[in-house]
């Protein structure tokens, strides 16, 4: 059974890396602490840092907290139902962007073609956003080794108003595509108005507990569907929890993730992550 699990993990990882050639690569680091308030109830805080552009630039700084409560558990503790609510604030960086510009031109025969006229450069910028999440999840221990969980999350994100500079470069002679572009006019300011987005996320996780070993490998699939806008977000993750102490107060999470979505919130790509959590 153990060999089958690791074979599945390796096959999934190989497929994702092959499928996602040419996407971005980043690193993700988290540090968190969790306090047990009473049996079945806890509160945790977490900080996160993530890179992008093949780790050359920062993508995100995050700080937040989450409250979790157990709603139901069977007498043998195999089945549990939990609810949670959390809030986080994120500073996200959008990279500098270059956009080529073209004009529609009609030739003598009435055919329309595109003529290059220059380009715009939008400066990189930081933009704040805050996110509120409400979740309900169920977990089931199939055996002493295998456990499965399903978590449904309603996610509301508010994008704060912000701005950046845009520089316009145009051909000196628009009839001569060989000439060098020059700054045709002064830089302008692009305003990003505040906006709200809601997403429903579904996350399915399978984990295997290795006997007499602090390493607990897992695999998960996370799908997000936009509610007030159209989007499809997928996150495929393989990793392992590592108990650093027998009391399980100190835990390390190491993972690989491939994420893809059809909007501009986050870039598609590979992520290698590590997270540390302290429970007290």
């Amino acid at each position: 059974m153990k060999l089958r699990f690791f074979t599945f993990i390796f096959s999934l990882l190989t497929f994702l890396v092959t499928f996602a050639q040419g996407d971005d690569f980043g690193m993700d680091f988290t540090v968190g602490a969790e306090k047990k308030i009473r049996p079945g109830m806890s509160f945790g805080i977490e900080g996160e840092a993530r890179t992008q552009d093949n780790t050359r630039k920062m993508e995100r700084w995050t700080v937040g907290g989450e409250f979790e409560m157990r709603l139901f558990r069977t007498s043998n503790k195999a089945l549990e139902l939990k609810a949670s609510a959390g809030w986080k604030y994120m500073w996200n960086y959008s990279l500098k962007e270059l956009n080529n510009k073209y004009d529609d031109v009609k030739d003598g025969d009435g055919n329309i073609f595109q003529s290059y006229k220059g380009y715009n450069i939008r400066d990189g910028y930081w933009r704040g956003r805050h996110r509120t999440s409400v979740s309900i999840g169920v977990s089931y221990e199939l055996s002493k080794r295998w456990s499965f969980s399903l978590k449904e999350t309603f996610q509301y994100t508010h994008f704060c108003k912000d701005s950046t500079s845009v520089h316009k470069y145009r051909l000196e002679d628009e009839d001569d595509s060989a000439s060098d572009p020059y700054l045709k006019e002064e830089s302008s300011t692009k305003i990003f108005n505040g906006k709200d987005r809601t997403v429903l996320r579904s996350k399915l996780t399978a984990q295997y507990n290795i006997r007499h070993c602090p390493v607990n490998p897992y695999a998960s699939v996370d799908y997000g569907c936009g509610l007030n806008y159209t989007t499809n977000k997928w996150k495929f993750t393989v990793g392992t929890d590592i108990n650093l102490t027998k009391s399980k107060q100190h835990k390390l999470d190491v993972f690989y993730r491939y994420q893809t979505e059809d909007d501009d919130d986050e870039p598609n790509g590979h992520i290698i992550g590590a997270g540390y959590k302290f429970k007290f």
Side-chain angles (χ1 to χ4, degrees):
M1 185 69 74
K2 186 189 306 183
L3 179 60
R4 290 180 181 178
F5 182 82
F6 284 109
T7 301
F8 167 74
I9 294 296
F10 178 77
S11 300
L12 179 61
L13 181 61
T14 303
F15 166 76
L16 292 176
V17 171
T18 304
F19 174 76
Q21 292 293 330
D23 286 327
D24 195 16
F25 172 75
M27 303 289 290
D28 186 280
F29 303 97
T30 60
V31 176
E34 183 179 308
K35 170 63 177 176
K36 182 179 180 181
I37 301 173
R38 64 177 180 80
M41 184 180 296
S42 63
F43 178 76
I45 58 174
E46 185 179 81
E48 177 191 22
R50 183 184 298 178
T51 65
Q52 62 178 325
D53 193 24
N54 295 319
T55 74
R56 290 189 291 262
K57 299 287 182 63
M58 289 302 302
E59 180 194 352
R60 173 188 294 181
W61 295 97
T62 304
V63 62
E66 183 179 58
F67 173 80
E68 185 178 72
M69 180 174 63
R70 185 172 64 234
L71 302 178
F72 171 78
R73 184 169 67 179
T74 57
S75 58
N76 63 358
K77 300 182 181 180
L79 180 68
E80 283 190 344
L81 181 67
K82 293 182 178 181
S84 61
W87 180 88
K88 63 175 64 174
Y89 192 88
M90 299 174 285
W91 294 266
N92 282 71
Y93 184 73
S94 294
L95 298 171
K96 180 186 292 187
E97 186 176 275
L98 186 150
N99 292 307
N100 291 315
K101 296 296 179 179
Y102 299 87
D103 276 335
D104 289 335
V105 178
K106 185 181 294 186
D107 61 18
D109 297 327
N111 299 315
I112 297 177
F113 65 95
Q114 288 191 323
S115 174
Y116 178 73
K117 67 176 183 178
Y119 57 87
N120 291 354
I121 293 180
R122 189 204 67 194
D123 289 342
Y125 63 95
W126 288 95
R127 188 178 187 183
R129 64 179 78 169
H130 57 80
R131 176 173 293 166
T132 302
S133 302
V134 179
S135 305
I136 186 165
V138 59
S139 60
Y140 178 66
E141 293 186 1
L142 183 64
S143 65
K144 290 183 178 180
R145 298 289 166 253
W146 284 98
S147 63
F148 299 88
S149 65
L150 176 64
K151 187 176 184 180
E152 297 292 327
T153 303
F154 173 80
Q155 181 178 288
Y156 161 76
T157 305
H158 174 73
F159 293 70
C160 303
K161 183 177 180 179
D162 215 318
S163 64
T164 189
S165 296
V166 176
H167 311 281
K168 297 181 180 181
Y169 294 83
R170 296 295 182 267
L171 297 179
E172 184 173 1
D173 184 352
E174 295 188 0
D175 293 330
D176 183 5
S177 59
S179 62
D180 294 328
Y182 77 109
L183 186 58
K184 184 178 180 180
E185 57 186 55
E186 295 295 329
S187 300
S188 60
T189 300
K190 182 175 178 59
I191 304 295
F192 300 96
N193 293 320
K195 61 181 179 180
D196 301 309
R197 288 188 167 178
T198 55
V199 175
L200 182 63
R201 306 199 71 100
S202 302
K203 184 178 181 181
L204 179 63
T205 303
Q207 187 165 41
Y208 184 78
N209 176 262
I210 301 177
R211 188 178 183 182
H212 304 308
C213 181
V215 176
N216 302 292
Y218 64 87
S220 69
V221 178
D222 187 333
Y223 171 68
C225 176
L227 299 180
N228 68 337
Y229 74 114
T230 302
T231 188
N232 293 282
K233 304 183 177 187
W234 289 93
K235 295 181 181 181
F236 304 92
T237 306
V238 290
T240 184
D241 290 335
I242 305 172
N243 294 316
L244 302 179
T245 59
K246 290 184 178 180
S247 63
K248 300 181 180 181
Q249 277 188 300
H250 303 269
K251 180 180 289 186
L252 186 66
D253 177 27
V254 180
F255 65 87
Y256 161 79
R257 175 179 298 148
Y258 176 69
Q259 64 182 34
T260 178
E261 57 184 89
D262 52 13
D263 67 11
D264 298 327
D265 281 0
E266 299 176 8
N268 295 342
H270 311 270
I271 295 175
I272 299 293
Y276 167 77
K277 178 176 282 189
F278 170 66
K279 293 184 178 182
F280 62 100

